[in-house]
Amino acid sequence: MRTSNFLIATQKETPADAEVISHQLMLRAGLIRKLAAGLYTWLPLGLRVLRKVENVVREEMDAAGAQEVSMPVVQPAELWQESGRWEQYGPELLRIQDRHQRDFCLGPTHEEVVTELVRNEIKSYKQLPLNLYQIQTKVRDEIRPRFGIMRSREFLMKDAYSFHVDQASLEATYQDMHQAYTHIFTRLGLDFRPVIADTGSIGGSASHEFHVLANSGEDDIAFSDSSDYAANVEMAEAIAPAGERPAPGADMAELATPGVRTIDDLAKFLSIDPATTVKTLIAHGEEGQLVALVLRGDHQLNTIKAEKLAAIASPLQLAEEAEVRKALGAGFGSLGPVGLDIEVIVDRSAAALADFTCGANRDEYHLTGVNWERDCTPGSIEDIRDVVEGDPSPDGHGKLLIKRGIEVGHIFQLGCKYSEAMKASVLDENGKSVTMTMGCYGIGVSRVVAAAIEQNHDDKGIIWPPAMAPFQLAMVPLNMQKSEAVASCAEELYQQLKSAGIDVLLDDRNERPGVKFADMELTGIPHRIVIGDRALAEGNIEYKGRRDADSRLVPREEIVTFLREQLQD
Amino acid sequence: MRTSNFLIATQKETPADAEVISHQLMLRAGLIRKLAAGLYTWLPLGLRVLRKVENVVREEMDAAGAQEVSMPVVQPAELWQESGRWEQYGPELLRIQDRHQRDFCLGPTHEEVVTELVRNEIKSYKQLPLNLYQIQTKVRDEIRPRFGIMRSREFLMKDAYSFHVDQASLEATYQDMHQAYTHIFTRLGLDFRPVIADTGSIGGSASHEFHVLANSGEDDIAFSDSSDYAANVEMAEAIAPAGERPAPGADMAELATPGVRTIDDLAKFLSIDPATTVKTLIAHGEEGQLVALVLRGDHQLNTIKAEKLAAIASPLQLAEEAEVRKALGAGFGSLGPVGLDIEVIVDRSAAALADFTCGANRDEYHLTGVNWERDCTPGSIEDIRDVVEGDPSPDGHGKLLIKRGIEVGHIFQLGCKYSEAMKASVLDENGKSVTMTMGCYGIGVSRVVAAAIEQNHDDKGIIWPPAMAPFQLAMVPLNMQKSEAVASCAEELYQQLKSAGIDVLLDDRNERPGVKFADMELTGIPHRIVIGDRALAEGNIEYKGRRDADSRLVPREEIVTFLREQLQD
């Protein structure tokens, strides 16, 4: 391709309303343009990237035995009423009426439509498992679209839905999809983690999110430094510290701590490590009673874990200070487990401490040298905290690291939520009608493009992983309009490279070298050659990889072979 | 691909609500399924066909220098208000509101969006011409969707928009697109005609429709039997008959024709050829006056041609009989050009008659032996009739044939309709601001699939043109589950054919041969081989082309080479 036939729409200025780097760079490099809030046009350069992602996704889905279909964007309300989501789904569901005042919606997801299809087509267990997918523009009426295509109102999605006669078959396909996703993101050259996820409101029994690691991510991901283990921080198990709890070594003593409200205050006041203190939070129990949650001073309560405990009300409600003072005789900042006559739930790490410091349940007093069993008794010991970096990995291999991640894929074991509501059943081998079990598997195809940029860029612009690059190679002839030698070498080499199957962009614009260099760097093309009179006089072409600090000279006669090797790496 | 991993969803019964053959066959062959009125899901088999069409379209658009983009489906009302179409466009435009009560529509077409894009991006004539296209799902709220995907509410469209500094550049791109469309429909193996079209309400100066010829088409296409000429019947010029008008040979005579109202009545009553009679229609003129339109008895008035005449009111209004009787003294069925004192416009063919028969302007009387000039004078001679089969082609080459056509493509020279309304201009070489000139070019990608079936089917099902076939070759092993010889030959051959790059569907279902044969014929796969014990015992494989009457035997060792040759034809 030649830039003279290709819309290069780079911009120097960073657009004012673009908050994240991928949004800024996609606008500046001319990949997308905003039509309205959350609605973007993909320009030719951006669309080439999007199509590369799409093709990798399609190839791996096909290889995993999924079958591609194309379902309508416009969906009748009746199906959503049948599943119960017409009422449940929030205003993100763009509801519309046709000219006959019939209700429809623009599908953000297709569980209902695919279940309707499959319940009509599939009658026997012999036709299962069946895994149908599509790559389609979805619409979601975001209240506040932002971050460019990362949270937009239209986006390209791969959504797949599998149908099974039993849970074992679902689990097999779920594993295939897990594997396919791993292939996809590996082929795309992204640093990612499949992350154990909370199944949240979708229901179902198992779920993994696939996250691209990037500083700008919205989620905290905890993962092992020496195994495949990864989970959302909220989901990662904080395992009990190894070894026995030390025996008590100090006597318990009460001391006045005027003005001390927080663990920080306490550690500073006594010159001690926060990890040798405990803090006591008071929550409402299932019956409305008060329950104490005791954590190590340097740890944070994990709401999701706490809510899952039978004794704790869900959603978690922490008690008001007035209520606490009335019941326990002291306010926040002076609470502790000693002498409490309410249920006490102790985090595993807090339970492993000896000779710790805590509130005395008397305002502005604390206790030092406190020991479990001797001075107070834990009601139960549970995992109720967020993991922190350095915690042992729950799978027993290595330690946890925590990084931010951008969710680009999600796989779910849906179970029978939709098939039950919509009566999708088959006959099993005994001729008995059984409700189909379902899985669903999404990839935010357009989101992958933004996530790749968040992970791969520098101050000059985008650095595409090779599999996603709009072109593999940029070819910049200097002074082409005046130098016959440069023009003819460029033309000849361009034809050679095309014949060699290299996807090359020849920058034949009549622009200054600086403009061309800046554009090729901004647009993130992984390899660049420069053809100029000076190097050419000595039979050389200049080469520079997008991540290289310096360029180097390669003899003209070796350049095609050289580039082929570079591109294979 | 194996049928055991591929959804074959054929049906025996013809669905009751499917009126046209393509709709019936697409449902029966399992290409599509209806979700709601005018909304269809493409099943895996259908989607393979759709993608093949899409890819041919994309390749030829790219080869013609067009650049692919992807614009949002959801479009803000403001742009349509700017162009004036928010009010003009009928209820086919699906108007919606987002959660903030802002107006949007689901784009049936993207002139406004692309003009908005280009007016922001393109500043100089040096960046022109620019031809942007997309292949996208469009939404049109049809009042009565029917004919399956032929007239549906969602459909896949290729829409392209070109921008130019002047008319000459537009015409060059228009020719390129004409050529690209010709390549596309030729590669797809369709019998089609590029047809001169009425530009209708879209405006602009030139337009061609591309029609696939098929008996079920909605439009009548007139085309030369010996040149490229083709036009919608309404647009085709009826040229004047060759040679001089014969000299009068009979005397004019009046005769009573009781009960004669129509040309048919008259021809029967007098035992004469309708082509020797003329009929006289009365229309309103520009000023409300009456004007006579005189045609040969066997010809039909062409409303569009008549409306274009300065003397005739547009839209054409024929006079009521009472008004005619009052003004001319006779009713319908007895009118004629002799002695009329209103303007008389005569069709070219009627003007070439001598000794003709016509109404006498006296109820139930006609005149015979009438001659122009001697007995009555034409006010003007014009082309105001529909062409008929056998008419000379207007380009001077051959005679006209008329067939029905299905419109699958349309190219327009739009001119400045949108660029003017939306102020899309560039600086020309003199630094002067000029409004860009536009063209637009559409292909109904999903419609092409239906049109291909309308043109290519028999009583057994679809007969795909090779370039559109979901698979090139069907492989039917007989009794595979019991015969080890058949199973191992099938498996070995399947691998060989895949390695040879042949897109083969192996029907490994445990079904009776008759079921498999019927399915492979219904789904229209162009080539079929059968592997059975009997032929295999003599070292043979059975081959049958989809259009062949009989099958033939091919030695096993020659079959791959043989099939390669068949597929190349």
Side-chain angles (χ1 to χ4, degrees), chain A residues 21 49 53 113 118 136 361 376 461 524:
Chain A
I21 193 78
V49 177
V53 178
V113 174
V118 170
Q136 187 187 44
N361 295 324
C376 54

Side-chain angles (χ1 to χ4, degrees), chain A residues 247-286:
Chain A
D251 291 334
M252 185 167 80
E254 190 181 63
L255 94 171
T257 48
V260 168
R261 290 279 298 177
T262 66
I263 292 292
D264 271 359
D265 295 343
L266 180 65
K268 216 170 280 173
F269 187 82
L270 297 177
S271 296
I272 55 173
D273 183 348
T276 65
T277 70
V278 307
K279 59 184 167 193
T280 303
L281 307 172
I282 308 296
H284 285 284
E286 261 308 297

